[in-house]
Amino acid sequence: GPPRATLFAYATLFRSTQAEAELHRFLDALQRYGFGDERVGREALSERFEILWSRVKILQQGDVGRGIDEIGVSPAIAATADTLRRTERRVMALGRDDAEERRNISAQFEKLAGPLRQATVRVSRYENRLLASRRDRLSSFYMQMTIYALGILLSGGILLVLLVLERRRSNELLRL
């Protein structure tokens, strides 16, 4: 139902945003690794790569994966997964001094930034449509409840007036 769809949208948007952020973290780590930043060794680079891959896998599995297909952004996710598969060995074997290979790997992942951004935007728009639809349904429901409540109050008021009139009439009959 709608609440499940809304929860799905939140989860998908969160995960899509995570994948996009992890791509940029990986690109940053790749650059810093190549520049000799001691805080980014081979292990840290591998970790960034694995985290990115885990975020992409989540977008391809279960309800989230089906939602990604439904929204129509699975090509961007599939392209990212394909790039991860194709570059894994190269990333894991990358030496600090191999600037050419680092630039080639970086270029492949930089091409994914735009499509992943677009995927996140489309997921966000989808979520906004779900929320707007839910808001409209709730607004309609609240309007109906308000009308029903007013009807009940009006009926109660009419009954009260009739009761008062009947009481007066019965009091008049008792006096006769």
Side-chain angles (χ1 to χ4, degrees), residues 19-21 23-24 27 76 80 106-121:
E20 183 185 357
L23 171 67
H24 291 288
L27 285 168
T80 305
S106 185
Q108 289 181 47
F109 281 95
E110 285 171 0
K111 288 178 192 174
L112 301 171
L116 276 181
R117 179 79 204 128
Q118 287 297 76
T120 300
V121 167

PDB file of all heavy atoms in Angstrom, residues 19-21 23-24 27 76 80 106-121:
ATOM      1  N   ALA A  19      25.232   5.742  -2.698  1.00  0.00           N
ATOM      2  CA  ALA A  19      26.061   5.249  -3.813  1.00  0.00           C
ATOM      3  C   ALA A  19      26.760   6.418  -4.499  1.00  0.00           C
ATOM      4  O   ALA A  19      27.954   6.351  -4.815  1.00  0.00           O
ATOM      5  CB  ALA A  19      25.210   4.467  -4.814  1.00  0.00           C
ATOM      6  N   GLU A  20      26.015   7.487  -4.715  1.00  0.00           N
ATOM      7  CA  GLU A  20      26.601   8.670  -5.354  1.00  0.00           C
ATOM      8  C   GLU A  20      27.721   9.254  -4.495  1.00  0.00           C
ATOM      9  O   GLU A  20      28.806   9.579  -4.994  1.00  0.00           O
ATOM     10  CB  GLU A  20      25.506   9.706  -5.597  1.00  0.00           C
ATOM     11  CG  GLU A  20      25.998  10.927  -6.316  1.00  0.00           C
ATOM     12  CD  GLU A  20      24.935  11.996  -6.445  1.00  0.00           C
ATOM     13  OE1 GLU A  20      23.778  11.787  -6.028  1.00  0.00           O
ATOM     14  OE2 GLU A  20      25.293  13.073  -6.965  1.00  0.00           O
ATOM     15  N   ALA A  21      27.471   9.369  -3.203  1.00  0.00           N
ATOM     16  CA  ALA A  21      28.489   9.913  -2.289  1.00  0.00           C
ATOM     17  C   ALA A  21      29.715   9.010  -2.250  1.00  0.00           C
ATOM     18  O   ALA A  21      30.858   9.499  -2.241  1.00  0.00           O
ATOM     19  CB  ALA A  21      27.905  10.077  -0.889  1.00  0.00           C
ATOM     20  N   LEU A  23      30.818   7.096  -4.609  1.00  0.00           N
ATOM     21  CA  LEU A  23      31.581   7.271  -5.851  1.00  0.00           C
ATOM     22  C   LEU A  23      32.549   8.435  -5.684  1.00  0.00           C
ATOM     23  O   LEU A  23      33.735   8.318  -6.017  1.00  0.00           O
ATOM     24  CB  LEU A  23      30.649   7.516  -7.040  1.00  0.00           C
ATOM     25  CG  LEU A  23      31.372   7.927  -8.333  1.00  0.00           C
ATOM     26  CD1 LEU A  23      32.233   6.771  -8.862  1.00  0.00           C
ATOM     27  CD2 LEU A  23      30.365   8.377  -9.381  1.00  0.00           C
ATOM     28  N   HIS A  24      32.070   9.541  -5.144  1.00  0.00           N
ATOM     29  CA  HIS A  24      32.934  10.713  -4.966  1.00  0.00           C
ATOM     30  C   HIS A  24      34.015  10.460  -3.908  1.00  0.00           C
ATOM     31  O   HIS A  24      35.148  10.925  -4.063  1.00  0.00           O
ATOM     32  CB  HIS A  24      32.093  11.946  -4.634  1.00  0.00           C
ATOM     33  CG  HIS A  24      31.261  12.381  -5.797  1.00  0.00           C
ATOM     34  ND1 HIS A  24      31.786  12.982  -6.911  1.00  0.00           N
ATOM     35  CD2 HIS A  24      29.928  12.255  -6.031  1.00  0.00           C
ATOM     36  CE1 HIS A  24      30.827  13.228  -7.780  1.00  0.00           C
ATOM     37  NE2 HIS A  24      29.689  12.788  -7.277  1.00  0.00           N
ATOM     38  N   LEU A  27      36.639   8.414  -5.711  1.00  0.00           N
ATOM     39  CA  LEU A  27      37.440   9.257  -6.613  1.00  0.00           C
ATOM     40  C   LEU A  27      38.420  10.121  -5.828  1.00  0.00           C
ATOM     41  O   LEU A  27      39.573  10.291  -6.238  1.00  0.00           O
ATOM     42  CB  LEU A  27      36.523  10.127  -7.487  1.00  0.00           C
ATOM     43  CG  LEU A  27      35.812   9.397  -8.612  1.00  0.00           C
ATOM     44  CD1 LEU A  27      34.723  10.272  -9.219  1.00  0.00           C
ATOM     45  CD2 LEU A  27      36.811   8.958  -9.677  1.00  0.00           C
ATOM     46  N   ALA A  76      22.043   3.296 -15.153  1.00  0.00           N
ATOM     47  CA  ALA A  76      23.154   3.983 -14.481  1.00  0.00           C
ATOM     48  C   ALA A  76      23.767   3.092 -13.412  1.00  0.00           C
ATOM     49  O   ALA A  76      24.997   3.050 -13.247  1.00  0.00           O
ATOM     50  CB  ALA A  76      22.675   5.295 -13.855  1.00  0.00           C
ATOM     51  N   THR A  80      27.579   1.382 -13.453  1.00  0.00           N
ATOM     52  CA  THR A  80      28.503   1.514 -12.322  1.00  0.00           C
ATOM     53  C   THR A  80      28.995   0.132 -11.884  1.00  0.00           C
ATOM     54  O   THR A  80      30.199  -0.061 -11.665  1.00  0.00           O
ATOM     55  CB  THR A  80      27.821   2.244 -11.150  1.00  0.00           C
ATOM     56  OG1 THR A  80      27.327   3.496 -11.617  1.00  0.00           O
ATOM     57  CG2 THR A  80      28.782   2.469 -10.010  1.00  0.00           C
ATOM     58  N   SER A 106      40.323   6.639 -12.974  1.00  0.00           N
ATOM     59  CA  SER A 106      39.573   7.808 -12.533  1.00  0.00           C
ATOM     60  C   SER A 106      38.625   8.281 -13.633  1.00  0.00           C
ATOM     61  O   SER A 106      37.459   8.598 -13.364  1.00  0.00           O
ATOM     62  CB  SER A 106      40.533   8.927 -12.134  1.00  0.00           C
ATOM     63  OG  SER A 106      39.830  10.016 -11.608  1.00  0.00           O
ATOM     64  N   ALA A 107      39.093   8.315 -14.860  1.00  0.00           N
ATOM     65  CA  ALA A 107      38.264   8.773 -15.981  1.00  0.00           C
ATOM     66  C   ALA A 107      37.039   7.874 -16.151  1.00  0.00           C
ATOM     67  O   ALA A 107      35.932   8.370 -16.424  1.00  0.00           O
ATOM     68  CB  ALA A 107      39.084   8.805 -17.267  1.00  0.00           C
ATOM     69  N   GLN A 108      37.218   6.571 -15.981  1.00  0.00           N
ATOM     70  CA  GLN A 108      36.086   5.649 -16.113  1.00  0.00           C
ATOM     71  C   GLN A 108      35.028   5.900 -15.043  1.00  0.00           C
ATOM     72  O   GLN A 108      33.824   5.853 -15.322  1.00  0.00           O
ATOM     73  CB  GLN A 108      36.569   4.201 -16.045  1.00  0.00           C
ATOM     74  CG  GLN A 108      37.341   3.788 -17.285  1.00  0.00           C
ATOM     75  CD  GLN A 108      37.788   2.349 -17.205  1.00  0.00           C
ATOM     76  OE1 GLN A 108      37.001   1.480 -16.852  1.00  0.00           O
ATOM     77  NE2 GLN A 108      39.046   2.102 -17.527  1.00  0.00           N
ATOM     78  N   PHE A 109      35.476   6.176 -13.832  1.00  0.00           N
ATOM     79  CA  PHE A 109      34.525   6.416 -12.749  1.00  0.00           C
ATOM     80  C   PHE A 109      33.928   7.822 -12.807  1.00  0.00           C
ATOM     81  O   PHE A 109      32.773   8.015 -12.439  1.00  0.00           O
ATOM     82  CB  PHE A 109      35.172   6.147 -11.387  1.00  0.00           C
ATOM     83  CG  PHE A 109      35.242   4.687 -11.060  1.00  0.00           C
ATOM     84  CD1 PHE A 109      36.381   3.953 -11.326  1.00  0.00           C
ATOM     85  CD2 PHE A 109      34.145   4.040 -10.509  1.00  0.00           C
ATOM     86  CE1 PHE A 109      36.439   2.594 -11.047  1.00  0.00           C
ATOM     87  CE2 PHE A 109      34.189   2.683 -10.227  1.00  0.00           C
ATOM     88  CZ  PHE A 109      35.341   1.955 -10.502  1.00  0.00           C
ATOM     89  N   GLU A 110      34.698   8.780 -13.283  1.00  0.00           N
ATOM     90  CA  GLU A 110      34.166  10.144 -13.405  1.00  0.00           C
ATOM     91  C   GLU A 110      33.008  10.195 -14.391  1.00  0.00           C
ATOM     92  O   GLU A 110      32.083  10.992 -14.228  1.00  0.00           O
ATOM     93  CB  GLU A 110      35.272  11.111 -13.804  1.00  0.00           C
ATOM     94  CG  GLU A 110      36.211  11.425 -12.650  1.00  0.00           C
ATOM     95  CD  GLU A 110      37.447  12.202 -13.075  1.00  0.00           C
ATOM     96  OE1 GLU A 110      37.612  12.513 -14.284  1.00  0.00           O
ATOM     97  OE2 GLU A 110      38.265  12.500 -12.190  1.00  0.00           O
ATOM     98  N   LYS A 111      33.044   9.326 -15.402  1.00  0.00           N
ATOM     99  CA  LYS A 111      31.946   9.273 -16.379  1.00  0.00           C
ATOM    100  C   LYS A 111      30.636   8.844 -15.723  1.00  0.00           C
ATOM    101  O   LYS A 111      29.561   9.092 -16.257  1.00  0.00           O
ATOM    102  CB  LYS A 111      32.270   8.270 -17.498  1.00  0.00           C
ATOM    103  CG  LYS A 111      33.334   8.710 -18.446  1.00  0.00           C
ATOM    104  CD  LYS A 111      33.586   7.606 -19.463  1.00  0.00           C
ATOM    105  CE  LYS A 111      34.840   7.877 -20.251  1.00  0.00           C
ATOM    106  NZ  LYS A 111      35.178   6.746 -21.134  1.00  0.00           N
ATOM    107  N   LEU A 112      30.726   8.190 -14.585  1.00  0.00           N
ATOM    108  CA  LEU A 112      29.534   7.681 -13.896  1.00  0.00           C
ATOM    109  C   LEU A 112      28.888   8.731 -12.990  1.00  0.00           C
ATOM    110  O   LEU A 112      27.729   8.569 -12.594  1.00  0.00           O
ATOM    111  CB  LEU A 112      29.907   6.459 -13.054  1.00  0.00           C
ATOM    112  CG  LEU A 112      30.508   5.285 -13.823  1.00  0.00           C
ATOM    113  CD1 LEU A 112      31.038   4.246 -12.842  1.00  0.00           C
ATOM    114  CD2 LEU A 112      29.492   4.686 -14.767  1.00  0.00           C
ATOM    115  N   ALA A 113      29.620   9.777 -12.669  1.00  0.00           N
ATOM    116  CA  ALA A 113      29.105  10.778 -11.720  1.00  0.00           C
ATOM    117  C   ALA A 113      27.805  11.410 -12.211  1.00  0.00           C
ATOM    118  O   ALA A 113      26.840  11.530 -11.450  1.00  0.00           O
ATOM    119  CB  ALA A 113      30.159  11.845 -11.436  1.00  0.00           C
ATOM    120  N   GLY A 114      27.774  11.817 -13.481  1.00  0.00           N
ATOM    121  CA  GLY A 114      26.567  12.433 -14.033  1.00  0.00           C
ATOM    122  C   GLY A 114      25.368  11.493 -14.020  1.00  0.00           C
ATOM    123  O   GLY A 114      24.300  11.847 -13.518  1.00  0.00           O
ATOM    124  N   PRO A 115      25.523  10.274 -14.586  1.00  0.00           N
ATOM    125  CA  PRO A 115      24.392   9.334 -14.557  1.00  0.00           C
ATOM    126  C   PRO A 115      23.933   8.959 -13.144  1.00  0.00           C
ATOM    127  O   PRO A 115      22.733   8.836 -12.906  1.00  0.00           O
ATOM    128  CB  PRO A 115      24.935   8.108 -15.306  1.00  0.00           C
ATOM    129  CG  PRO A 115      25.974   8.664 -16.229  1.00  0.00           C
ATOM    130  CD  PRO A 115      26.593   9.805 -15.464  1.00  0.00           C
ATOM    131  N   LEU A 116      24.861   8.810 -12.205  1.00  0.00           N
ATOM    132  CA  LEU A 116      24.448   8.514 -10.828  1.00  0.00           C
ATOM    133  C   LEU A 116      23.724   9.704 -10.205  1.00  0.00           C
ATOM    134  O   LEU A 116      22.753   9.531  -9.473  1.00  0.00           O
ATOM    135  CB  LEU A 116      25.640   8.126  -9.955  1.00  0.00           C
ATOM    136  CG  LEU A 116      26.081   6.670 -10.018  1.00  0.00           C
ATOM    137  CD1 LEU A 116      27.255   6.426  -9.078  1.00  0.00           C
ATOM    138  CD2 LEU A 116      24.953   5.717  -9.684  1.00  0.00           C
ATOM    139  N   ARG A 117      24.167  10.901 -10.532  1.00  0.00           N
ATOM    140  CA  ARG A 117      23.482  12.109 -10.033  1.00  0.00           C
ATOM    141  C   ARG A 117      22.060  12.151 -10.587  1.00  0.00           C
ATOM    142  O   ARG A 117      21.102  12.428  -9.860  1.00  0.00           O
ATOM    143  CB  ARG A 117      24.261  13.368 -10.445  1.00  0.00           C
ATOM    144  CG  ARG A 117      23.610  14.634  -9.983  1.00  0.00           C
ATOM    145  CD  ARG A 117      23.922  14.845  -8.502  1.00  0.00           C
ATOM    146  NE  ARG A 117      22.917  15.668  -7.884  1.00  0.00           N
ATOM    147  CZ  ARG A 117      22.256  15.360  -6.779  1.00  0.00           C
ATOM    148  NH1 ARG A 117      22.492  14.255  -6.140  1.00  0.00           N
ATOM    149  NH2 ARG A 117      21.373  16.151  -6.275  1.00  0.00           N
ATOM    150  N   GLN A 118      21.937  11.893 -11.899  1.00  0.00           N
ATOM    151  CA  GLN A 118      20.617  11.885 -12.526  1.00  0.00           C
ATOM    152  C   GLN A 118      19.726  10.809 -11.908  1.00  0.00           C
ATOM    153  O   GLN A 118      18.530  11.025 -11.728  1.00  0.00           O
ATOM    154  CB  GLN A 118      20.735  11.675 -14.034  1.00  0.00           C
ATOM    155  CG  GLN A 118      21.262  12.884 -14.770  1.00  0.00           C
ATOM    156  CD  GLN A 118      20.327  14.067 -14.630  1.00  0.00           C
ATOM    157  OE1 GLN A 118      20.265  14.727 -13.592  1.00  0.00           O
ATOM    158  NE2 GLN A 118      19.573  14.347 -15.664  1.00  0.00           N
ATOM    159  N   ALA A 119      20.306   9.658 -11.608  1.00  0.00           N
ATOM    160  CA  ALA A 119      19.537   8.580 -10.971  1.00  0.00           C
ATOM    161  C   ALA A 119      19.002   9.048  -9.622  1.00  0.00           C
ATOM    162  O   ALA A 119      17.829   8.840  -9.303  1.00  0.00           O
ATOM    163  CB  ALA A 119      20.398   7.330 -10.806  1.00  0.00           C
ATOM    164  N   THR A 120      19.840   9.700  -8.841  1.00  0.00           N
ATOM    165  CA  THR A 120      19.418  10.194  -7.531  1.00  0.00           C
ATOM    166  C   THR A 120      18.317  11.243  -7.679  1.00  0.00           C
ATOM    167  O   THR A 120      17.335  11.233  -6.931  1.00  0.00           O
ATOM    168  CB  THR A 120      20.624  10.770  -6.755  1.00  0.00           C
ATOM    169  OG1 THR A 120      21.585   9.727  -6.578  1.00  0.00           O
ATOM    170  CG2 THR A 120      20.212  11.314  -5.407  1.00  0.00           C
ATOM    171  N   VAL A 121      18.454  12.107  -8.660  1.00  0.00           N
ATOM    172  CA  VAL A 121      17.434  13.134  -8.899  1.00  0.00           C
ATOM    173  C   VAL A 121      16.110  12.480  -9.299  1.00  0.00           C
ATOM    174  O   VAL A 121      15.046  12.860  -8.810  1.00  0.00           O
ATOM    175  CB  VAL A 121      17.906  14.133  -9.981  1.00  0.00           C
ATOM    176  CG1 VAL A 121      16.778  15.011 -10.480  1.00  0.00           C
ATOM    177  CG2 VAL A 121      19.043  14.988  -9.436  1.00  0.00           C
TER     178      VAL A 121
END
